Amino acid sequence: MDRIRNIAIIAHIDAGKTTITERILYYTGRTYKIGEVDEGTAVMDWMEEEKRRGITITAAATTCYWQDHRINIIDTPGHVDFTAEVERSLRVLDGGVVVFDAVAGVEAQSEAVWRQADRYNVPRICFINKMDRIGANFDRTVSMIEERLHAKPLLIQLPLGSEASYQGIIDLVENKAWRFDDKPDSPPAEAAIPESERAKCAQFRQALIEKLAESDDQILALYLEGSSITPSDLRQALRRVTLAVKGVPVLCGSALRNKGIRPLLDAIANYLPSPLDMPPARAIDTRVGGEVTRPAKDDAPFSALAFKVVSDPFVGRLVYFRVYSGRVKMGAQVFNSTRGKRERIGRLLRMHANHREEMEEVGAGAIVATLGLKNTFTGDTLCHYSQPVLLEPIRFPEPVLFVAVEPRTRADQDKLGGALQRLTEEDPTFRVNYDQEAGQTVISGMGELHLEFLVGRLVSEFGVEAKVGRPKVAYKETITVSTEVEGRFIRQTGGHGQYGHVCIRLEPMERGSGFQFVDRIKGAAVPKRYILAAEVGIKEAMETGVVAGYPVVDVKATLYDGSYHEVDSSEIAFKMAGSMALRDGVVKAKPILLEPIMKLEIVAPEPFLGDIMGDLNSRRGHIESIGAHDDMSVIRAHIPLAETFGYATNLRSLTQGRGAYSLEFYNYEELPAELADQITGKAMVR
């Protein structure tokens, strides 16, 4: 188990994660041909949408072997819309390789994934990619890692050349230089460190030793004694410091030119943790409620965390899980402690992107998929039924973009519900709600690309044609003054007629109070059964609205008088009379429209503060407070829901992709008169 490495490749979009993974698979013998993202031949980007767009959308898992180490890799997306894939990957993995573009340096999503890794205390190494590109700047990228990410970079390599002259690396641990050929099968060639670089190498090697001495007592002792520090001493110290998350080894290369991948594999094996190096998994014993630990041992009670659900078109519902302790066999019965249900493990599969290898049994540290788990979802704990425990679940960000979706045909309508349910099972950041007031199915996700991708899957995988549109805002109507009105419903035809007569007082109430009906009839002016019918009529009229067709709220209706006819009166007549009274009364009581107001919290770098505030003012936002957290500004504001559509994209453009925000409902407030006139005008046109 000490030779297992469970790692994620994480970075900003287009930093080269998938290209690096493809080279790793080739050099470890997992594939016989290098796949290319631009050509749509990358093994890890196997979905049609990924090939078409040239980006990673869903985290893909694979396993390879290097120097007797088994490396389980998850290649994650870089686009902010698919941040949930990174979140769930980091939750179950032990280490990470963070990739940076040598030209762009630390980018927006680099900061986001770094914060996610910090949250889970994941040891990581850095790989500065694209050293052969025009504008590549190794020193600038290292400075950005230190300043923006507040990390301690430990340079174990220096680039040998740069841009078009980039040839290889100088290994500061071994004090050697290695030159790489563009041909993938050419082994690295050891070379003498150029005379012009020797002073610089000695300086950086000394700086590496001093940085390690700050965090590692054994190196500190050797340093103070003036003893010779061997490459083996440095490697052991680098491993200890990396596992303690006190520093990050920094490497460099050019994945597209096949340079620096073999040393990266060595670094993964040498410096990133095995399951044994990680603290025992903490869990809650569901029987007694106390905290227990599950060490990474095959003879410990079985415990695992489901972190991904996929609807595979060929084999059905796949559940990916990480085994934290114990062993599990194909066909074994396990307990889902999150749902309180027993499940049976079907086939156990080791995944290689969308290819599968069957396994009979897996132990602690394994990352596998299984078939047959019908009631297990993302974040659920699987364990032995005799010792039930609950592992910490995965927390996902809330969706930020909402759109309405409707089927194109009746046949699509029948299939839409099932397809949306399966997508929500797979993606915890995808939500589906039915808006009763607007009569729409509203889907929500992390951004426009996220929702566009999921709607595309409705067509390609589930055969459902759907139209996506801007959702209606759920406005409401209310009154501002009290009024008294009569409602008379009198119809006389041959035979029985219809007679209903009510006198109602309407009064405005506080926001959020709803509706109140008061019976103030004295004597027997109106019989009880007709009073109830009048109340029903008032409620029905309130639901359909008066001014613009939106529900009427926060109104008190008092029935204080009326009359009835012994023969012609009926419940229907009084129901109609109540409805007519409400409609007339709302028109007379100076009605207004109310709009939903959202609580908005924005986290963005301080230099963008002015642009954000100007944009909020243009969107009728009201800023409540501005605070600071490290080098980020935190803005809290209230903003109308109608002004938030498309805000995710707008905020990213204002902040160069470095801003994030969250929304939640706050209350209803009066809509400005000029906007209300536009809406009521549209309602009249309809």
Side-chain angles (χ1 to χ4, degrees):
M1 201 183 300
D2 64 337
R3 291 183 178 272
I4 295 176
R5 300 289 182 268
N6 292 321
I7 67 165
I9 312 286
I10 56 178
H12 186 91
I13 191 169
D14 205 30
K17 298 177 299 301
T18 302
T19 304
I20 288 171
T21 309
E22 294 297 321
R23 268 64 182 174
I24 287 174
L25 295 178
Y26 181 76
Y27 287 124
T28 57
R30 194 69 177 80
T31 57
Y32 67 90
K33 182 184 176 186
I34 296 176
E36 300 291 358
V37 174
D38 293 343
E39 297 170 8
T41 57
V43 174
M44 303 303 281
D45 285 351
W46 56 273
M47 299 180 82
E48 286 303 320
E49 196 74 7
E50 292 177 314
K51 292 178 181 178
R52 186 172 70 82
R53 294 178 182 272
I55 62 170
T56 301
I57 289 173
T58 182
T62 189
T63 300
C64 57
Y65 295 85
W66 181 257
Q67 295 179 352
D68 299 329
H69 287 76
R70 186 171 92 216
I71 305 175
N72 296 321
I73 302 173
I74 294 184
D75 176 30
T76 63
H79 197 286
V80 65
D81 282 13
F82 306 103
T83 185
E85 295 288 331
V86 182
E87 190 79 27
R88 57 170 146 209
S89 300
L90 289 173
R91 170 64 180 83
V92 298
L93 294 173
D94 302 324
V97 176
V98 189
V99 183
F100 298 95
D101 184 328
V103 180
V106 175
E107 299 175 86
Q109 194 61 10
S110 311
E111 295 180 59
V113 297
W114 195 272
R115 286 196 296 268
Q116 287 172 302
D118 279 342
R119 189 156 57 246
Y120 294 114
N121 212 32
V122 174
R124 67 215 82 144
I125 59 179
C126 297
F127 185 79
I128 299 177
N129 191 27
K130 305 188 180 184
M131 283 301 305
D132 60 320
R133 281 185 61 198
I134 295 172
N137 191 324
F138 180 81
D139 295 336
R140 172 177 168 271
T141 305
V142 171
S143 298
M144 292 176 78
I145 290 172
E146 197 163 18
E147 293 164 11
R148 278 203 188 175
L149 305 179
H150 309 293
K152 182 193 277 190
L154 304 169
L155 271 59
I156 62 174
Q157 292 179 1
L158 293 177
L160 194 58
S162 185
E163 298 183 346
S165 64
Y166 178 71
Q167 304 167 49
I169 61 165
I170 298 170
D171 186 336
L172 295 178
V173 176
E174 297 283 350
N175 230 0
K176 293 178 181 177
W178 297 92
R179 295 183 189 275
F180 300 99
D181 197 316
D182 280 3
K183 297 174 183 175
D185 295 319
S186 300
E190 187 177 338
I193 298 174
E195 191 70 38
S196 60
E197 297 289 330
R198 288 184 181 175
K200 181 181 178 182
C201 289
Q203 176 192 340
F204 275 87
R205 192 172 194 272
Q206 184 66 21
L208 172 63
I209 292 170
E210 290 173 2
K211 277 193 171 184
L212 285 171
E214 292 172 6
S215 306
D216 186 77
D217 292 341
Q218 293 182 41
I219 285 290
L220 178 62
L222 292 172
Y223 180 68
L224 294 175
E225 290 166 6
S227 303
S228 172
I229 297 175
T230 66
S232 176
D233 292 331
L234 282 178
R235 278 194 295 271
Q236 290 173 29
L238 279 163
R239 181 171 180 80
R240 289 191 295 269
V241 171
T242 305
L243 298 188
V245 201
K246 293 180 179 178
V248 284
V250 178
L251 302 89
C252 62
S254 170
L256 191 63
R257 304 282 175 239
N258 310 305
K259 296 177 180 179
I261 302 301
R262 289 182 178 97
L264 174 62
L265 280 163
D266 291 338
I268 290 169
N270 289 335
Y271 308 130
L272 289 182
S274 74
L276 294 175
D277 295 315
M278 302 304 289
R282 288 157 49 182
I284 301 297
D285 188 326
T286 57
R287 294 169 301 181
V288 297
E291 187 176 287
V292 294
T293 58
R294 286 290 182 262
K297 295 181 179 178
D298 285 350
D299 56 358
F302 171 69
S303 66
L305 186 74
F307 67 94
K308 188 177 172 75
V309 177
V310 175
S311 295
D312 191 290
F314 300 104
V315 295
R317 191 174 188 269
L318 277 173
V319 177
Y320 287 72
F321 64 91
R322 156 78 189 264
V323 182
Y324 282 96
S325 62
R327 298 186 70 81
V328 66
K329 293 182 178 179
M330 183 172 64
Q333 192 174 73
V334 296
F335 183 64
N336 182 331
S337 54
T338 307
R339 312 278 165 184
K341 294 182 178 180
R342 291 198 180 194
E343 294 265 50
R344 185 171 297 280
I345 299 284
R347 292 156 60 196
L348 284 171
L349 306 169
R350 179 177 288 158
M351 301 301 293
H352 175 50
N354 60 332
H355 302 287
R356 300 164 289 277
E357 297 172 7
E358 293 213 17
M359 306 183 70
E360 289 292 323
E361 185 179 16
V362 293
I367 293 178
V368 291
T370 185
L371 296 165
L373 302 183
K374 296 177 181 176
N375 299 303
T376 298
F377 301 89
T378 300
D380 287 1
T381 300
L382 300 171
C383 56
H384 195 276
Y385 51 82
S386 66
Q387 298 191 43
V389 293
L390 206 56
L391 294 163
E392 182 186 351
I394 309 170
R395 291 180 176 84
F396 294 102
E398 288 297 310
V400 297
L401 196 69
F402 305 78
V403 297
V405 62
E406 59 183 51
R408 289 187 183 275
T409 66
R410 186 166 291 280
D412 290 325
Q413 187 172 6
D414 297 336
K415 295 186 286 185
L416 181 64
L420 290 175
Q421 183 181 351
R422 287 171 69 180
L423 289 176
T424 54
E425 286 182 13
E426 288 188 28
D427 190 340
T429 58
F430 177 61
R431 309 278 173 83
V432 180
N433 292 297
Y434 185 73
D435 187 336
Q436 296 280 359
E437 294 174 358
Q440 293 176 311
T441 299
V442 177
I443 59 174
S444 51
M446 298 307 298
E448 291 176 24
L449 180 61
H450 184 209
L451 292 176
E452 186 183 323
F453 165 67
L454 290 169
V455 172
R457 286 188 62 194
L458 285 176
V459 178
S460 60
E461 289 183 32
F462 302 102
V464 180
E465 291 281 352
K467 293 186 291 185
V468 176
R470 184 176 171 135
K472 297 177 186 173
V473 177
Y475 294 108
K476 295 187 187 300
E477 302 174 12
T478 192
I479 59 174
T480 55
V481 298
S482 299
T483 187
E484 293 185 356
V485 287
E486 277 188 278
R488 291 177 179 272
F489 183 74
I490 302 172
R491 296 287 185 273
Q492 193 62 51
T493 56
H496 273 302
Q498 295 285 356
Y499 183 91
H501 172 220
V502 292
C503 296
I504 293 174
R505 183 184 305 112
L506 297 180
E507 300 167 77
M509 296 172 66
E510 288 185 11
R511 296 283 179 267
S513 302
F515 170 67
Q516 186 180 353
F517 179 80
V518 180
D519 174 11
R520 287 279 186 267
I521 293 293
K522 295 179 179 176
V526 179
K528 197 72 175 174
R529 67 181 186 276
Y530 296 152
I531 293 174
L532 294 174
E535 182 182 356
V536 170
I538 292 170
K539 285 181 177 178
E540 286 187 1
M542 289 179 68
E543 287 174 7
T544 55
V546 177
V547 179
Y550 296 106
V552 180
V553 295
D554 305 336
V555 171
K556 178 181 179 182
T558 304
L559 177 61
Y560 64 90
D561 200 2
S563 62
Y564 74 104
H565 190 277
E566 288 286 357
V567 177
D568 290 347
S569 286
S570 66
E571 292 181 14
I572 290 289
F574 272 89
K575 182 177 170 183
M576 293 300 295
S579 176
M580 292 164 68
L582 186 281
R583 290 180 179 281
D584 290 345
V586 168
V587 172
K588 292 177 181 177
K590 296 185 179 177
I592 58 171
L593 285 183
L594 301 175
E595 64 175 339
I597 303 296
M598 310 299 284
K599 257 197 257 185
L600 172 69
E601 183 175 295
I602 303 168
V603 180
E606 193 272 336
F608 304 109
L609 193 58
D611 291 339
I612 293 170
M613 292 173 65
D615 183 63
L616 283 176
N617 288 331
S618 72
R619 292 171 179 266
R620 300 190 288 125
H622 175 65
I623 295 168
E624 293 287 300
S625 67
I626 301 173
H629 180 68
D630 294 332
D631 56 348
M632 306 291 273
S633 294
V634 181
I635 305 163
R636 293 179 177 86
H638 294 147
I639 186 170
L641 175 63
E643 303 289 347
T644 63
F645 298 135
Y647 190 63
T649 305
N650 196 66
L651 181 65
R652 285 175 201 158
S653 66
L654 285 174
T655 61
Q656 297 174 10
R658 296 174 63 192
Y661 77 97
S662 61
L663 277 174
E664 62 178 284
F665 176 74
Y666 176 57
N667 66 2
Y668 272 87
E669 291 183 7
E670 182 177 350
L671 183 69
E674 64 274 13
L675 294 175
D677 289 343
Q678 291 176 19
I679 291 170
T680 52
K682 288 176 185 174
M684 289 173 186
V685 169
R686 285 201 300 271

